[in-house]
Amino acid sequence: MTTVDLTTLSGLELLRWAAQQPTDRPTIGRLLGMAFDELEEGRVVVSLSTKPDFANPLGIVHGGIAATLLDSALGCAVHTTLPAGVGFTTLELKVNYIRTVTVDAGRLTAVGTTIHVGRRTATAEGRVTDERGKLIAHATTTCMILPPEGRPAA
C-alpha cells in the first residue's frame, strides 16, 4: 500500500486523488451521494441524485441540499487553483433559490467557477441545474486563503 503525502499535492491534484478514493470514508459527499463529474483548474462540477431523505416538512428537497452542492462546487473550484499545502475556508455563501425540487427529480448538477483568486481571498460563482437543464439555484462565495501552517500570509 502506497501512502500519499497530501501536503505535497496542489489543490487540483488533491481533489483528483480524493475523487479516486473508496467511498467508505465518512464525508459529506458520501453522506449525500455526491460525485465529482469534472475537475479542472478554476472549475468543478459535482452532482447527486435526489431522494426522499432530502425532503423538508413540505415534502420537497430541502434548500440545504442545493446550498451544500454549491458550497462544495464553489469551494472546490477555489481549491483547484491553490498550490500544495495551501487551504481555504468559506467566509460567505450567498444562495438564490429559483425553483423547488421534488424528491424524485433525479440528478442535480452544480458547476462552480472561480472569479478571482488572490493572496488572501478568492471568489467564485456557480449554478445548480436539474436533469432538464432548468436552473434550481445560483450562488457566489468568498473564501479565505489559508497559508501553510507556520508561515504568515504575505
Side-chain angles (χ1 to χ4, degrees), residues 40-128:
E40 58 188 74
E41 187 168 335
R43 183 175 181 275
V44 170
V45 180
V46 295
S47 63
L48 57 71
S49 292
T50 59
K51 57 185 178 179
D53 287 342
F54 295 167
N56 65 17
L58 299 174
I60 57 176
V61 172
H62 189 282
I65 298 299
T68 300
L69 264 176
L70 286 161
D71 189 41
S72 297
L74 277 58
C76 287
V78 167
H79 200 186
T80 64
T81 67
L82 302 178
V86 176
F88 76 97
T89 190
T90 302
L91 289 174
E92 173 266 342
L93 179 68
K94 167 66 170 93
V95 179
N96 291 300
Y97 298 97
I98 304 304
R99 61 179 38 89
T100 60
V101 178
T102 60
V103 295
D104 62 354
R107 203 99 182 133
L108 298 180
T109 302
V111 178
T113 308
T114 56
I115 298 170
H116 168 77
V117 180
R119 288 189 325 241
R120 297 173 188 246
T121 62
T123 57
E125 62 188 356
R127 297 169 165 249
V128 173

